[in-house]
Amino acid sequence: MVTVLGVGWLTGLMLSVMGVAGDSSAQPSGVTAFLRAATLRHHHTHHMTDVHHADHTSRTSLTATTLHAATPTTGPAPPKPQIPPQWATPFSFAEAGMTLGGGRFSQDAVNQRYAYTFVDDMLPGRWGNISVPKGTEQHWSFVANATASTTTVNTVCRIPSASAFADLFGWVSGPSSFYEGAGEFNGRPCDLWASSADPKTATMKLCVNADSEPVVLALNEHGLGELLEFGQPFVAGQPPASAFASPPGCGQPGPTCPDGASVRMEVVVFHPTNMFDIAGQDVADWLGDTMFLCLAGPNATSAGQQYTEISLWEIEVWTGYGLYSLCNGYPPTCIGNDNFNVGKEASTGFKPGCGQCADNSNDFGSWLSLAAKGECPDGVTPDGKQCTWRRVQRQKTVAIDCPSFAGFFRTCTAETAIPFNASKGALTQIFASETVSDGGCPHV
């Protein structure tokens, strides 16, 4: 595996490169690439570390947000590189300076497609001082063609999308690219090119070796730094068709868990003020919402809406769970193919099959998606046939600015191992008591 310098942390996101300045025919406008998140997986702001390798002495400096050439050009720029249209190579991926793992990248601009396979192996240090269960990892595959893309996480086809192929490399030979100078990355000499001469608008930088092979691609949008380092051997020519094959079943509702039963349970949901409708929303059990809140922090937003309240509900569900859907906003928008069954996954999805049918109560907790079309009519018990869930009652709603949440987030920061049991205890106490001095919060 190729090593990218620097460390940091992310729970996952969708890298959306919105295009570069200059001639539109030469830029990858609207690239939707590297669908790293299958849920509302926010940056882990509480346990992030910024440790940098001591041997980082090359002429190219890598920070959390950009890639610089330490030898700026003073004379004529070299000829613009002509990246081969078809190739494959090992690669590794880093975000905010943290290496997340690696796999294989396949590019086929001739047929308007690219793909990658990637193992996010949750190595020690990824969550700062937090230890994670042994064997925790995510296996990703992503395929984009001329009309659509699909993402698979731990064998689960998660996000069929209308986002299509856009060339991440062709812009460097076009009129909009700007030569920044000679550089070196991990001991590999390369010429650094930017998608714009203005660093405020340059969303991409590409360091290319003397053979016009990409060495490292830096994507920088909204202040985030994402880097892909491409290793050796660099295999020019058309990659095998199997590299671009979408898994069977993508675009279908997917399997459900066997031996379903009707079960009452408590779930927690973070939402905007006075928005209490949970149909078509994502909710979580106590441990799952603890994980979400500890990762998201107190300032979560979705679809431009500020989330200000947390509600505790009792619901009844059919445990023949389907695949988890990504449901956000009020009114909700869901990304998923099962609009009837209650979806389930382990929080963050770091389990085989994303934890759909697993007992997640001793590690990550569970996130659930409540399909609007699966809600039971009044007086009907979930049976997996007529309906899959029903509301019993909303038990309590508290405001995120209640002082006891400051203590909760301090507890998150102090956690050293998954499961976050101490934080879960602090969250349950917030709902158990009305008194701030007891760690509780009043009902609003």
Side-chain angles (χ1 to χ4, degrees):
M1 182 183 296
V2 180
T3 300
V4 177
L5 299 179
V7 290
W9 198 88
L10 115 156
T11 49
L13 54 88
M14 179 176 73
L15 304 184
S16 178
V17 183
M18 300 308 293
V20 296
D23 177 23
S24 61
S25 65
Q27 62 193 25
S29 177
V31 175
T32 301
F34 297 92
L35 292 170
R36 294 274 309 135
T39 63
L40 272 176
R41 297 183 190 161
H42 296 259
H43 295 279
H44 195 301
T45 58
H46 305 293
H47 305 287
M48 182 181 291
T49 58
D50 288 306
V51 181
H52 295 278
H53 289 243
D55 61 351
H56 188 184
T57 58
S58 67
R59 286 188 292 151
T60 301
S61 62
L62 169 64
T63 70
T65 57
T66 191
L67 177 68
H68 300 288
T71 309
T73 180
T74 56
K80 293 190 174 183
Q82 304 293 318
I83 306 296
Q86 296 174 313
W87 49 272
T89 183
F91 87 108
S92 62
F93 175 67
E95 199 273 347
M98 164 63 87
T99 301
L100 302 184
R104 189 164 187 82
F105 191 98
S106 301
Q107 168 82 348
D108 185 359
V110 174
N111 295 296
Q112 294 188 300
R113 58 187 182 175
Y114 72 90
Y116 71 85
T117 57
F118 179 86
V119 179
D120 188 347
D121 47 20
M122 291 296 294
L123 293 173
R126 267 283 310 281
W127 285 18
N129 63 326
I130 301 297
S131 62
V132 299
K134 186 177 180 180
T136 298
E137 62 184 18
Q138 283 184 329
H139 292 253
W140 291 79
S141 66
F142 178 82
V143 178
N145 59 33
T147 59
S149 62
T150 57
T151 302
T152 304
V153 184
N154 287 347
T155 72
V156 176
C157 187
R158 295 299 308 270
I159 312 174
S161 170
S163 299
F165 169 85
D167 194 347
L168 293 169
F169 308 93
W171 60 271
V172 74
S173 61
S176 66
S177 63
F178 174 77
Y179 181 62
E180 290 199 345
E184 187 177 275
F185 191 80
N186 279 349
R188 303 165 65 191
C190 53
D191 288 320
L192 185 62
W193 298 83
S195 58
S196 169
D198 183 354
K200 294 181 180 180
T201 61
T203 57
M204 291 197 287
K205 294 187 178 185
L206 182 65
C207 217
V208 183
N209 69 15
D211 296 321
S212 290
E213 299 170 353
V215 173
V216 60
L217 173 68
L219 310 176
N220 185 31
E221 189 187 21
H222 307 308
L224 302 173
E226 294 85 31
L227 292 106
L228 286 73
E229 184 178 7
F230 302 98
Q232 292 292 330
F234 181 91
V235 182
Q238 184 172 347
S242 58
F244 307 100
S246 294
C250 278
Q252 303 300 316
T256 57
C257 300
D259 304 322
S262 182
V263 173
R264 287 196 179 194
M265 63 186 304
E266 290 182 329
V267 295
V268 187
V269 58
F270 197 6
H271 58 85
T273 303
N274 294 328
M275 296 289 187
F276 300 121
D277 189 359
I278 56 175
Q281 295 293 336
D282 289 340
V283 300
D285 63 15
W286 283 109
L287 188 54
D289 210 60
T290 298
M291 289 288 293
F292 173 82
L293 289 169
C294 285
L295 302 183
N299 297 311
T301 61
S302 177
Q305 297 168 310
Q306 184 69 41
Y307 282 33
T308 57
E309 296 176 342
I310 302 179
S311 290
L312 171 63
W313 283 82
E314 182 183 8
I315 63 174
E316 189 171 8
V317 302
W318 180 255
T319 61
Y321 295 113
L323 297 180
Y324 183 75
S325 295
L326 318 180
C327 299
N328 298 296
Y330 289 79
T333 299
C334 292
I335 301 175
N337 294 303
D338 191 335
N339 60 8
F340 177 71
N341 293 293
V342 175
K344 177 188 168 187
E345 77 167 13
S347 68
T348 73
F350 280 105
K351 295 185 80 169
C354 293
Q356 176 189 355
C357 301
D359 177 4
N360 305 316
S361 61
N362 295 315
D363 40 44
F364 292 96
S366 294
W367 292 344
L368 306 175
S369 52
L370 302 180
K373 293 185 178 179
E375 185 174 7
C376 296
D378 289 344
V380 177
T381 298
D383 61 0
K385 298 177 181 178
Q386 183 177 352
C387 58
T388 57
W389 68 277
R390 73 179 185 93
R391 312 170 208 222
V392 178
Q393 62 175 332
R394 178 167 60 94
Q395 297 178 335
K396 186 176 180 179
T397 297
V398 300
I400 193 66
D401 61 2
C402 167
S404 293
F405 274 104
F408 167 79
F409 288 114
R410 284 194 298 269
T411 305
C412 288
T413 305
E415 293 278 16
T416 59
I418 291 173
F420 288 177
N421 284 327
S423 300
K424 174 187 171 183
L427 183 62
T428 56
Q429 181 61 20
I430 282 173
F431 285 88
S433 173
E434 295 284 312
T435 307
V436 171
S437 61
D438 290 335
C441 287
H443 179 75
V444 296

